[in-house]
């Protein structure tokens, strides 16, 4: 067999038997929505029902950040205490959301939010606020005395340059 003829046959790859069309590019099949269908099937087995009228969902993390869902799709199975939240999540700082969520909190949640804020301040501001006092040295002499000494040194320097 001729090398040119062999190279030509190799470039025209046939998928299948005689009479099948030649395929130039092998396309990968995409599995779209497979995971979503499996998740929906599992949720239906639990018996979730959609909840309407929920405008936002906030999940508080231990490090003081909040996972915020705006206009989520919420499904719940109250008997098994299962909630499914679908939507675009944005991670925000607690300080960004506090003014908007204070009116929504009850007394229990307000107390836990206060504890979370104190813990956040200890981790963030505790190192900065408590150690600053130790880092600042005590004032030994007044600034006026130091200024007078600098002026005297400058005058001596000027006199030394004038003599030279």
């Amino acid at each position: 067999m001729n090398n040119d003829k062999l190279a030509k046959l190799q470039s025209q790859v046939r998928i299948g038997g005689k009479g099948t069309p030649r395929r130039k590019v092998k396309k990968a099949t995409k599995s779209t929505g497979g995971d979503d269908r499996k998740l929906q099937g599992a949720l239906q087995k639990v018996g979730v029902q959609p909840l309407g009228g929920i405008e936002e969902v906030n999940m508080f993390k231990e490090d003081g950040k909040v996972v915020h869902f705006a206009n989520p799709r919420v499904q719940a199975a109250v008997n098994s205490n299962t909630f499914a939240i679908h939507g675009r999540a944005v991670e925000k700082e607690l300080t960004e959301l506090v003014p908007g969520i204070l009116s929504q909190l009850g007394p229990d949640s307000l107390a836990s939010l206060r504890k979370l804020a104190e813990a956040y301040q200890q981790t963030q501001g505790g190192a900065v606020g408590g150690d600053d006092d130790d880092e600042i040295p005590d004032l030994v002499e007044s600034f006026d005395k130091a200024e007078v000494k600098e002026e005297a040194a400058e005058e001596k320097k000027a006199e030394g340059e004038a003599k030279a």
Side-chain angles (χ1 to χ4, degrees):
M1 208 172 217
N2 191 353
N3 283 340
D4 295 331
K5 197 172 186 182
L6 185 61
K8 183 180 173 187
L9 288 174
Q10 286 177 345
S11 67
Q12 299 175 350
V13 177
R14 224 181 259 266
I15 306 292
K18 185 177 179 181
T20 58
R22 292 185 180 100
R23 186 165 59 176
K24 302 285 187 214
V25 179
K26 185 175 181 181
K27 294 183 181 179
T29 57
K30 296 179 185 176
S31 61
T32 56
D35 292 337
D36 191 39
R37 276 188 254 141
K38 288 181 183 179
L39 177 64
Q40 289 299 328
L43 287 173
Q44 291 302 323
K45 286 180 184 177
V46 174
V48 294
Q49 298 295 321
L51 294 178
I54 296 177
E55 296 175 5
E56 67 179 3
V57 173
N58 295 315
M59 293 183 188
F60 298 94
K61 294 171 68 176
E62 290 181 5
D63 61 352
K65 296 190 181 203
V66 179
V67 178
H68 177 76
F69 293 87
N71 295 322
R73 193 175 86 217
V74 180
Q75 296 176 322
V78 181
N79 56 356
S80 62
N81 198 20
T82 303
F83 293 86
I85 301 168
H86 306 272
R88 187 171 299 269
V90 179
E91 189 170 298
K92 295 185 176 182
E93 291 291 330
L94 179 63
T95 54
E96 293 177 37
L97 296 173
V98 167
I101 63 173
L102 282 177
S103 62
Q104 301 170 7
L105 297 176
D108 305 345
S109 301
L110 195 57
S112 64
L113 181 64
R114 190 172 291 136
K115 288 178 185 177
L116 183 65
E118 289 172 2
Y120 180 70
Q121 285 177 349
Q122 288 176 354
T123 58
Q124 295 295 323
V128 176
D131 294 341
D132 282 347
D133 295 337
D134 297 337
E135 293 176 5
I136 298 174
D138 294 332
L139 185 61
V140 177
E141 56 185 291
S142 69
F143 290 111
D144 295 333
K145 291 180 184 177
E147 187 175 327
V148 171
K149 288 180 182 178
E150 287 179 9
E151 289 177 2
E154 288 177 6
E155 287 177 9
K156 287 182 182 178
K157 185 178 178 182
E159 290 174 8
E161 289 177 1
K163 289 182 182 178

